[in-house]
Each structure stands twice: as structure tokens, then as C-alpha cells.
Amino acid sequence: MPDSQRFFEVPSSQWCRCLDTASALALGPVLPQPALNSFFDESARGREQTESLRRLIRERPAGKPLVMVSHQVNITALSGVYPQSGEIVVLKVDGAQLTVAGRISTSK
């Protein structure tokens, strides 16, 4: 990808479908992030992974957008939203507080 197209890093689940989606966005380099992996089959990991995501979000540079690619179970735990397949959930970050700012459907 040419440097002119690298806007920011995109943390992604390590699962192939998420990595492919993150790459297809062409926003910048994809960073495999274990905290974004699905914990559907291991719900006991949910609380720890969600807190890791909250830390990742809090530690990003102020004013810098953050695009993450993950799974329904992770998105629901983080936001309280049960997204449709492919749906984009936009969160507003205010310190440690996350609020849903919007939802974008990608289905036709």
C-alpha cells in the first residue's frame, strides 16, 4: 500500500475473516490483536478481553480515530449493541466512558 494511503493502524482479531476485512478497508497496516479474538466458545475470557479492549481504546492518542475489526460477542460486550453481520458500530470515547454514537448497516 502506498504511503499516501496509510491513514492509521487497524487492530483486528487474529481470525482470517477479520484480518481479510481489516486489510480490505485499506486504511493502513493491520495489527493482529488477541483481545479482539472471539470469546464465544470461551465466555470465561470475556471480561478480561473486554477490559483489554477498553485499555487499548483509552491508550490511543487523543483525537486519533480507531477502527477495529472484531466479532459480535466482543462488540456486544464492549458496547451493549448486538450488531448484524457486517454492521459497523461507532463509539464515542470520553475518558473511560464509551457511548454508542451510531450504527452503519453494510447490507444492501
Side-chain angles (χ1 to χ4, degrees):
M1 167 183 319
D3 286 339
S4 63
Q5 293 180 356
R6 291 178 186 242
F7 299 109
F8 46 86
E9 297 168 334
V10 181
S12 172
S13 163
Q14 295 173 306
W15 292 31
C16 294
R17 185 172 179 186
C18 288
L19 292 170
D20 290 347
T21 298
S23 293
L25 292 171
L27 295 173
V30 175
L31 299 177
Q33 174 55 255
L36 290 166
N37 292 347
S38 175
F39 55 82
F40 182 80
D41 289 332
E42 299 178 57
S43 60
R45 291 186 5 221
R47 180 172 284 180
E48 179 182 337
Q49 276 189 236
T50 302
E51 184 51 39
S52 291
L53 284 178
R54 289 183 184 281
R55 277 193 303 275
L56 177 76
I57 292 166
R58 284 192 306 262
E59 292 170 358
R60 84 189 196 309
K64 184 175 183 180
L66 179 62
V67 174
M68 300 186 294
V69 180
S70 192
H71 307 271
Q72 172 274 313
V73 68
N74 303 69
I75 295 165
T76 300
L78 187 65
S79 69
V81 170
Y82 190 98
Q84 296 177 8
S85 181
E87 183 177 14
I88 298 167
V89 177
V90 180
L91 299 176
K92 179 181 179 193
V93 181
D94 185 10
Q97 183 69 31
L98 300 176
T99 55
V100 177
R103 298 170 71 168
I104 302 168
S105 175
T106 59
S107 62
K108 294 181 181 187

